[in-house]
Amino acid sequence: MRVSRCFLPVMKESPADAQIVSHKLMLRAGLVRQTAAGIYAWLPVGWRVLQKIEQIVREEQDKAGSVELLMPTLQSADLWRQSGRYDAYGPEMLRIKDRHEREILYGPTNEEMITALFRDEVRSYRELPRTLYHIQWKFRDEVRPRFGVMRGREFLMKDAYSFDLDEGGARNSYYTQLLAYLRTFQRLGIKAVPMKAASGPIGGDLSHEFIVLAPTGESEVFYDAAFEEFDWSQADLRYDDADGLKALFDQVSSTYSATDETHDEARWAGVAADRQRTGRGIEVGHIFYFGTKYSASMGLKVSGPDGSMVTPEMGSYGIGVSRLVGAIIEASHDDAGIVWPEAVAPWKVGMVTMRGDDPATVAAADDLYAKLSAANVETLYDDRDERGGVKLGSMDLIGLPWQLVLGPRGVAAGTAELKNRRTGEKQELSLESALARFTA
Ligand code: P5A
């Protein structure tokens, strides 16, 4: 992508209405713009990051055996009356009337809709277990939308729903998602500690939040230092190893971690003082096992192996996809701007010409850009006729993992400068090796 043809409004000054670093950087680096309170337009840079996160979440769900579909954002009030949540949900739900005075709502979550879809199609235990998911926009009319996309009113969520014949099966589905979450966050370049959670309005007795540690987080957290040495990828664990999944869950549950809502002073006192860690954190995921709460109230039944009717046991599993953009920035930035983990960076390489008015520099940069693009190396090429220093500043702000800087002196000698955004390390190398560095 050439900056001269992109839509990349970068701001030099810190916007006055942003309080936390990720919100400031998302505005300054041109990722989003607020269009109404708690509602954001995703500009090209932000949209690319959002799609990368979404794709990693999708791949890890698929590996865990979940099946993707897409449900609409708008739902009928009648659906929510079946579970009894239409009245219970309160003012967070955006309620709308259509031209026929029919009550609809912008979905804050999809338990009701997936339960109805499943109920209307599935008849037999042979079609269980299933975990279905979608990645779809939600709306919650939060009292205090704040911190940018971190607590928006419209936000993107991955929500998965599991259906099992019995509690044992449902627990296995829950443990499966627990592992999928550890792997998802690991791939996104962040550590999200699973913490015992209160299940809130969704109901159920088994629930974990996944918390990224950051001083600006909304929840206060308490955890055992063992989580600092935890094996996040669990590379040897297979999804078909039920005992292994249970062992992972037992390990997570027996290692103390809690938010202020579930913190238990008596158990905390059992953690050695030099291993007690406290801080603040951002909730990027939340998983629930709620048994038959929705299946029973909405009349979902399947015939069991012995012919009797069985009410499936369910769980739901959320990841805040748009919130993750902010959370990753909170966890990965420096004074100059964002430092993207490679897996979610909007582009891999940022190319800068120090002199946009020097024909030899421009020719060399155009040539390198064409070759990088031909090799599918995602490159943002700042080809504007701007001062070199200004362009370097905005590259640092945007935070791509690698910068390739071409100037008249280097180009005359056939070289470019390669900078690692995270370490700041710089290296002079030939234009050919610069290309080979990313294409070989
Ligand atoms: C689980 C999936 C649920 O809604 N139903 C379907 C369950 N859980 S949750 O905890 O309420 O939300 C899941 C994740 O969505 C993110 N999130 C938000 N992100 C941005 N702005 C918001 N206002 C917002 N509310 C929730 C969080 O990451 C949460 O963990």
Side-chain angles (χ1 to χ4, degrees):
M1 174 71 71
R2 284 176 183 265
V3 171
S4 63
R5 296 189 194 156
C6 195
F7 181 54
L8 216 170
V10 164
M11 293 155 72
K12 272 203 215 72
E13 304 301 325
S14 224
D17 53 338
Q19 293 140 27
I20 61 170
V21 67
S22 60
H23 189 195
K24 287 183 186 152
L25 289 172
M26 285 183 75
L27 292 171
R28 288 189 54 209
L31 274 73
V32 291
R33 287 293 181 266
Q34 180 171 289
T35 58
I39 302 179
Y40 290 85
W42 292 81
L43 307 189
V45 180
W47 176 231
R48 289 179 72 96
V49 175
L50 193 64
Q51 288 180 93
K52 295 226 161 152
I53 297 175
E54 191 181 321
Q55 186 56 22
I56 289 174
V57 170
R58 172 176 293 119
E59 285 171 17
E60 292 304 319
Q61 285 295 304
D62 292 348
K63 283 185 208 161
S66 312
V67 186
E68 187 173 13
L69 45 70
L70 182 61
M71 292 176 273
T73 53
L74 293 172
Q75 309 188 20
S76 85
D78 286 342
L79 188 59
W80 283 66
R81 291 205 172 91
Q82 294 175 27
S83 71
R85 274 211 294 182
Y86 189 65
D87 296 323
Y89 215 91
E92 264 195 17
M93 178 184 276
L94 179 63
R95 298 158 206 256
I96 312 163
K97 273 190 187 151
D98 70 10
R99 62 166 70 195
H100 303 293
E101 294 287 304
R102 278 188 296 242
E103 292 169 296
I104 52 179
L105 57 103
Y106 195 123
T109 179
N110 284 67
E111 278 81 3
E112 282 76 1
M113 189 176 280
I114 198 77
T115 305
L117 284 165
F118 207 77
R119 175 195 63 201
D120 295 344
E121 306 303 330
V122 174
R123 295 281 162 264
S124 156
Y125 72 94
R126 287 190 198 85
E127 292 167 78
L128 268 61
R130 283 292 184 281
T131 296
L132 306 175
Y133 77 98
H134 72 164
I135 301 173
Q136 178 61 292
W137 294 93
K138 306 284 186 280
F139 194 95
R140 293 182 186 173
D141 205 350
E142 304 274 353
V143 198
R144 284 214 317 141
R146 57 186 184 145
F147 302 156
V149 302
M150 215 65 108
R151 180 166 295 282
R153 293 199 297 163
E154 188 188 46
F155 61 96
L156 189 61
M157 191 200 288
K158 181 288 295 181
D159 37 328
Y161 304 88
S162 63
F163 299 88
D164 279 273
L165 270 189
D166 52 31
E167 186 185 330
R171 285 186 173 263
N172 185 252
S173 297
Y174 186 95
Y175 306 156
T176 299
Q177 288 288 324
L178 172 73
L179 177 59
Y181 275 41
L182 295 178
R183 290 185 174 161
T184 302
F185 296 127
Q186 160 95 359
R187 270 187 72 189
L188 292 173
I190 52 177
K191 282 186 180 144
V193 182
M195 303 199 175
K196 191 168 163 33
S199 52
I202 308 272
D205 69 333
L206 186 55
S207 176
H208 285 85
E209 288 176 15
F210 289 78
I211 306 270
V212 175
L213 301 167
T216 48
E218 289 193 296
S219 349
E220 198 180 350
V221 297
F222 307 82
Y223 62 97
D224 187 320
F227 276 112
E228 289 166 0
E229 298 123 37
F230 189 67
D231 171 11
W232 299 93
S233 66
Q234 299 283 322
D236 295 334
L237 185 50
R238 293 169 48 118
Y239 283 112
D240 59 8
D241 174 5
D243 294 338
L245 291 174
K246 164 95 171 51
L248 169 66
F249 172 77
D250 289 342
Q251 185 195 352
V252 165
S253 314
S254 59
T255 310
Y256 192 85
S257 66
T259 64
D260 35 12
E261 283 184 347
T262 52
H263 186 49
D264 174 347
E265 285 294 346
R267 274 193 70 203
W268 185 230
V271 178
D274 63 338
R275 300 191 63 80
Q276 290 183 347
R277 299 282 183 277
T278 57
R280 302 198 72 79
I282 304 162
E283 180 202 317
V284 290
H286 201 157
I287 59 179
F288 306 83
Y289 162 60
F290 45 73
T292 59
K293 180 177 159 112
Y294 299 95
S295 43
S297 60
M298 298 182 68
L300 162 61
K301 280 195 176 79
V302 299
S303 64
D306 61 2
S308 67
M309 297 307 280
V310 181
T311 303
E313 298 268 337
M314 293 175 60
S316 74
Y317 315 90
I319 290 183
V321 177
S322 50
R323 174 177 287 185
L324 271 165
V325 180
I328 292 170
I329 297 173
E330 287 294 328
S332 189
H333 67 269
D334 62 18
D335 290 343
I338 304 170
V339 182
W340 289 115
E342 196 137 341
V344 299
W347 291 272
K348 183 169 185 174
V349 182
M351 252 182 65
V352 170
T353 49
M354 291 306 285
R355 288 279 301 274
D357 60 349
D358 174 53
T361 306
V362 172
D366 282 354
D367 181 59
L368 186 53
Y369 174 64
K371 288 174 175 154
L372 286 166
S373 305
N376 291 323
V377 180
E378 294 178 312
T379 307
L380 178 68
Y381 170 22
D382 197 342
D383 58 341
R384 293 170 305 160
D385 188 7
E386 264 278 3
R387 285 206 344 266
V390 170
K391 297 203 272 187
L392 291 180
S394 51
M395 272 303 170
D396 277 349
L397 178 62
I398 294 167
L400 308 180
W402 299 98
Q403 293 173 10
L404 267 174
V405 184
L406 280 75
R409 217 171 330 126
V411 165
T415 65
E417 186 188 84
L418 178 68
K419 178 174 129 177
N420 179 313
R421 173 67 181 85
R422 188 172 292 276
T423 62
E425 216 173 296
K426 291 178 183 167
Q427 179 188 356
E428 196 74 23
L429 73 186
S430 72
L431 291 166
E432 295 76 41
S433 13
L435 179 64
R437 170 73 185 64
F438 295 107
T439 56

